[in-house]
Amino acid sequence: MKNRLKELRNKKHLTLKELGEQLGMPNNTLSQYETGKREPKLETWQKLADFFGVSVPYLQGISDIEDLEPVSTFEKFFASLEKTPDGKSVKVPVNEMLALSNGLELKTFLKINNAIISKQNGELSENDFKKYSKIVSHLDKNDFPSIGDINFYMTNFYEIMLDEINKDKKAKIALDEIKKIISSYLGLDYYDFDDEPITIKKVHSDKEK
């Protein structure tokens, strides 16, 4: 299915050159996006969608819903669907549902990504910032399953942290196990931080020796 980039550009009465100037993108690249000769990366899809004030799935031509906000939760999406005559069920357009799911996952993913991979984030070294930024800039539609996993686990991790703050014993056990796994991956000794103050030593890799 052909994307709506040219259609939306024409509605704004913009030439390719004018659009390129406003977005900071080469007009020949935009031309290739319009004709389908080149596929935008996910960050670029979102940038274009934000500029035109539409959802990414709508811009991609796989959804007829321009604005994601009215369907941004399950309740809103359910309310937007066509009801059966008895009023007890709804007709769910599967392709539309998948398209909307992808669009919402992308928005959530980019919010998480911008919060973590940011030059304001002192936890990331310059090398890590460059590495992860490069990875994200190369993500495309084929990476949607991975993005769905990221959103699922990040959301659940956040819920576990909130439950642990609320003194949930099961959540504390889960969070402790997660901390151990993260510490092990980063090469840090793991300790119970509720005990006496300790010194955390970094386990040097072969490259650092």
Side-chain angles (χ1 to χ4, degrees), residues 114-156:
N114 290 335
I116 296 174
I117 303 178
S118 165
K119 285 195 174 179
Q120 280 83 41
N121 187 338
E123 298 298 316
L124 284 180
S125 68
E126 188 65 25
N127 285 339
D128 282 344
F129 171 75
K130 290 179 180 178
K131 178 178 72 174
Y132 295 132
S133 296
K134 183 177 180 180
I135 292 170
V136 173
S137 69
H138 284 77
L139 294 176
D140 58 28
K141 280 193 271 190
N142 295 324
D143 295 296
F144 266 125
S146 298
I147 289 173
D149 283 346
I150 290 171
N151 289 326
F152 174 79
Y153 287 113
M154 287 295 292
T155 300
N156 281 276

Side-chain angles (χ1 to χ4, degrees), residues 55-66:
S55 70
V56 171
Y58 182 82
L59 178 61
Q60 291 174 333
I62 59 177
S63 171
D64 292 327
I65 298 179
E66 293 187 41

Side-chain angles (χ1 to χ4, degrees), residues 97-113:
M97 185 170 65
L98 291 174
L100 289 172
S101 176
N102 283 345
L104 291 168
E105 282 180 355
L106 175 59
K107 285 188 76 70
T108 304
F109 169 77
L110 290 176
K111 284 181 181 178
I112 293 171
N113 176 72

Side-chain angles (χ1 to χ4, degrees), residues 3 7 14 17 29 50 63 66 73 136 149 156 164 169 173 177 180 189-190 194 196 204:
N3 69 63
E7 173 190 332
L14 294 171
K17 182 179 179 181
T29 299
D50 288 343
S63 171
E66 293 187 41
T73 65
V136 173
D149 283 346
N156 281 276
E164 193 270 344
K169 292 181 180 179
I173 293 172
E177 290 301 312
K180 288 178 184 178
D189 290 338
Y190 177 82
D194 292 330
E196 293 296 319
H204 296 287

Side-chain angles (χ1 to χ4, degrees), residues 16-106:
L16 280 169
K17 182 179 179 181
E18 289 169 337
L19 179 61
E21 288 173 348
Q22 293 196 41
L23 291 172
M25 298 170 64
N27 59 308
N28 62 324
T29 299
L30 289 169
S31 176
Q32 289 178 318
Y33 290 161
E34 286 189 353
T35 58
K37 291 180 179 179
R38 184 171 174 180
E39 178 76 13
K41 301 304 178 185
L42 292 185
E43 277 192 313
T44 305
W45 275 123
Q46 191 64 63
K47 183 177 182 179
L48 291 166
D50 288 343
F51 177 82
F52 290 110
V54 299
S55 70
V56 171
Y58 182 82
L59 178 61
Q60 291 174 333
I62 59 177
S63 171
D64 292 327
I65 298 179
E66 293 187 41
D67 186 5
L68 287 177
E69 177 53 34
V71 292
S72 60
T73 65
F74 176 79
E75 290 78 11
K76 290 180 179 180
F77 178 66
F78 187 86
S80 74
L81 298 172
E82 181 185 353
K83 307 297 186 294
T84 55
D86 60 11
K88 295 180 180 179
S89 304
V90 294
K91 297 179 180 179
V92 182
V94 177
N95 291 339
E96 187 71 79
M97 185 170 65
L98 291 174
L100 289 172
S101 176
N102 283 345
L104 291 168
E105 282 180 355
L106 175 59

